[in-house]
Amino acid sequence: MSSCFNGGAGWPEPVVRVQAVSDTCGETIPERYVKLPLDRPSATTLQPAVSHGGGSLNIPVVDMSMPDSDETVRAVDAACREWGFFQAVNHGVSPELLRRARSSWRGFFRQPAEVRERYANSPATYEGYGSRLGTTKGGHLDWGDYYFLHLLPPSIKSHDKWPSLPSTLREATEEYGEEVVKLCRRVSKVLSKGLGLDGGRLQAAFGGEGGEGACMRVNFYPRCPQPELTLGVAAHSDPGGMTMLLVDDHVRGLQVKKDGQWITVDPVPDAFIVNVGDQIQVLSNAAYKSVEHRVTVSAAEERLSLAFFYNPRSDVPVAPMAELVAPGRPALYPEMTFDEYRAHIRQRGLSGKAHLQSLQNANSSVAS
């Protein structure tokens, strides 16, 4: 099969690009991509969910044009407590830049395989062109390829590790990253205020302005002949602080778990889908919860999304903020750096919220 390489340097077996699988597998996907029956998207979860009132159930939409207003703080706070997700509109990032970023990255995934393979990644940092998460040999695989890159801190950002083709990509990605970091900082202040804290408290816990981390994963989900058997990304919560997701402008796929039901998100054009990550759940002492989500794929169309991760600096100790701990509300999680936390994810891969729950359980055992 074309576009198969043995990455060495940590991968337990040869890596096969899902684009290549999609082009050659005919009407049946390989067994490695078939999820266990309980993990497969059913016919019902592929449809828009219906609320008790009979209308379509969707994650909240929040107008971010006045981020300092009490109304915005209340709306974001309610969304993060009830859903862990919201769609940000009027967020200040120009629609033209969103289109340019999407178009540039579509252009990369349409390059010949030999061009894409110049940037093949390893599990040491995951930076570059990849097709799997986790180093367990023989496990189930997701139906998607990706490109992972660093933006903050500046010391680890390297344009040489970004694709040079198409020619618009590096400039568009740099501008996009700068604008989305600004948006993340604005949202961070809103979250802090929602928790009853000073507006800069969360950002300080991340390492302060300029000290935080930021990275991006561009996801590409090729057409799949059996979408009912697999997933583009398995169910998980995001291990970092906050995610700004720019979804495909014409193909739905993101599903969020709410009250045990998988809800297909109906995206608002040019909105960012914002979600709480595990680190903010820890810092808020579970006032804001990271929520499981997953990605379905399509038999008819390919899909692309840009997931921007705003994280604590990798070596900063992260624990429930002291202001949110009280005698009747003990700290639910032990102190741990983000580097220590994500090392587990990079080794084991995505597994719902198992890692965060294991930390809470371990902390409860110590406390008792």
Side-chain angles (χ1 to χ4, degrees):
M1 180 179 290
S2 64
S3 203
C4 172
F5 80 105
N6 191 335
W11 294 124
E13 55 198 342
V15 176
V16 179
R17 303 305 180 195
V18 178
Q19 277 182 272
V21 178
S22 176
D23 290 341
T24 60
C25 71
E27 298 302 313
T28 305
I29 65 174
E31 190 66 27
R32 291 287 301 276
Y33 298 93
V34 176
K35 301 297 182 184
L36 296 172
L38 288 177
D39 296 330
R40 298 173 191 170
S42 68
T44 54
T45 58
L46 290 174
Q47 304 304 315
V50 177
S51 68
H52 294 301
S56 179
L57 187 61
N58 199 14
I59 62 175
V61 177
V62 179
D63 185 339
M64 290 296 299
S65 59
M66 294 188 292
D68 294 326
S69 72
D70 291 344
E71 183 179 358
T72 301
V73 171
R74 286 194 297 268
V76 170
D77 178 66
C80 291
R81 290 178 189 273
E82 183 178 353
W83 285 83
F85 272 82
F86 65 94
Q87 297 197 62
V89 298
N90 299 322
H91 43 65
V93 183
S94 78
E96 183 276 332
L97 178 56
L98 304 184
R99 287 191 287 271
R100 192 151 39 97
R102 280 197 197 101
S103 176
S104 296
W105 281 102
R106 282 191 192 279
F108 169 75
F109 285 102
R110 288 171 179 163
Q111 295 297 314
E114 58 269 22
V115 173
R116 288 180 270 125
E117 292 300 343
R118 293 173 193 166
Y119 304 95
N121 71 351
S122 82
T125 66
Y126 280 88
E127 191 166 15
Y129 177 49
S131 300
R132 63 180 296 161
L133 181 62
T135 54
T136 302
K137 187 174 182 178
H140 289 280
L141 298 174
D142 291 336
W143 191 267
D145 300 320
Y146 64 85
Y147 202 103
F148 183 82
L149 53 87
H150 292 288
L151 294 114
L152 288 177
S155 60
I156 63 172
K157 179 175 73 174
S158 172
H159 285 179
D160 291 339
K161 296 180 181 179
W162 300 7
S164 60
L165 293 173
S167 60
T168 58
L169 187 145
R170 290 181 178 177
E171 181 179 355
T173 301
E174 180 69 27
E175 184 179 349
Y176 180 84
E178 290 174 356
E179 291 303 311
V180 179
V181 164
K182 293 176 187 176
L183 175 59
C184 288
R185 289 170 178 163
R186 293 195 293 273
V187 174
S188 175
K189 291 179 182 178
V190 176
L191 294 175
S192 293
K193 292 177 181 178
L195 291 167
L197 307 174
D198 177 78
R201 183 66 177 90
L202 260 182
Q203 190 165 305
F206 273 37
E209 185 170 331
E212 68 273 71
C215 52
M216 186 166 75
R217 174 174 154 145
V218 184
N219 303 296
F220 183 79
Y221 308 105
R223 290 184 293 273
C224 177
Q226 294 178 297
E228 72 281 2
L229 297 182
T230 191
L231 290 166
V233 179
H236 67 287
S237 62
D238 289 346
M242 178 197 324
T243 304
M244 292 280 172
L245 179 67
L246 180 65
V247 297
D248 198 283
D249 49 1
H250 65 287
V251 185
R252 294 188 311 175
L254 176 66
Q255 293 186 334
V256 174
K257 199 170 191 179
K258 171 69 170 169
D259 299 329
Q261 180 183 13
W262 286 107
I263 296 169
T264 301
V265 174
D266 190 11
V268 175
D270 296 330
F272 279 102
I273 297 175
V274 185
N275 65 279
V276 171
D278 292 349
Q279 303 307 299
I280 285 183
Q281 176 166 331
V282 170
L283 286 164
S284 71
N285 208 22
Y288 294 159
K289 292 182 174 64
S290 59
V291 171
E292 281 187 80
H293 51 285
R294 66 185 188 183
V295 177
T296 61
V297 292
S298 169
E301 298 181 88
E302 66 190 29
R303 182 174 177 271
L304 180 132
S305 68
L306 283 69
F308 191 97
F309 305 110
Y310 185 67
N311 302 322
R313 198 178 73 214
S314 61
D315 61 348
V316 170
V318 174
M321 292 183 286
E323 302 95 320
L324 303 178
V325 176
R329 182 67 173 173
L332 297 176
Y333 309 99
E335 185 177 88
M336 179 179 292
T337 68
F338 182 45
D339 251 354
E340 292 168 334
Y341 187 88
R342 67 183 169 186
H344 175 92
I345 305 294
R346 287 177 169 174
Q347 179 183 8
R348 301 281 300 274
L350 302 173
S351 55
K353 294 193 67 171
H355 186 40
L356 194 60
Q357 188 61 51
S358 69
L359 291 178
Q360 184 173 343
N361 292 342
N363 207 50
S364 298
S365 298
V366 171
S368 60

